[in-house]
Amino acid sequence: MLIVNAVLETPETVDFSFWPVADLPPYQFMALSGSMSPLEVGSALAMLADYNSRAGDDDRPLRDASEAIRRLLETDKVIAPGGLRVHDTRTDVTIRPGCC
């Protein structure tokens, strides 16, 4: 059976303090699903907010949670490192998203 997951790269959250996030190793792929914990959702949102705060015209560092969310909501096109991860349970082969 093939399993396809939308995945997002986990952020580096050592200095992140705007809202609670999961204690996840950075730069791994986290599957996005309805079974995510609230802390995992916080981590995904942290990645989206941080990554997209640098994509627009306003590249100043984020000051607080409300600014992070405001910038994310004002973004025309939300982007983030991740993609689709495909896993074949029969052969135990996984194809992960790549860069570029």
Side-chain angles (χ1 to χ4, degrees):
M1 173 170 52
L2 291 178
I3 299 171
V4 180
N5 296 108
V7 295
L8 185 65
E9 187 176 273
T10 54
E12 172 64 64
T13 56
V14 171
D15 296 325
F16 188 85
S17 60
F18 294 156
W19 53 77
V21 295
D23 184 22
L24 300 169
Y27 315 114
Q28 304 295 312
F29 288 120
M30 167 177 53
L32 303 177
S33 76
S35 64
M36 293 170 66
S37 73
L39 292 177
E40 289 170 331
V41 172
S43 295
L45 191 56
M47 171 53 84
L48 292 171
D50 178 60
Y51 202 82
N52 287 278
S53 71
R54 296 176 270 134
D57 295 332
D58 188 357
D59 61 352
R60 292 174 295 128
L62 296 170
R63 294 179 309 222
D64 56 31
S66 63
E67 182 181 13
I69 297 301
R70 180 188 55 77
R71 282 201 212 171
L72 184 58
L73 291 172
E74 291 174 353
T75 300
D76 290 331
K77 194 181 297 184
V78 175
I79 58 173
L84 296 177
R85 179 178 59 200
V86 179
H87 179 72
D88 184 340
T89 59
R90 188 177 53 82
T91 62
D92 200 33
V93 172
T94 300
I95 301 170
R96 292 174 179 82
C99 176
C100 314

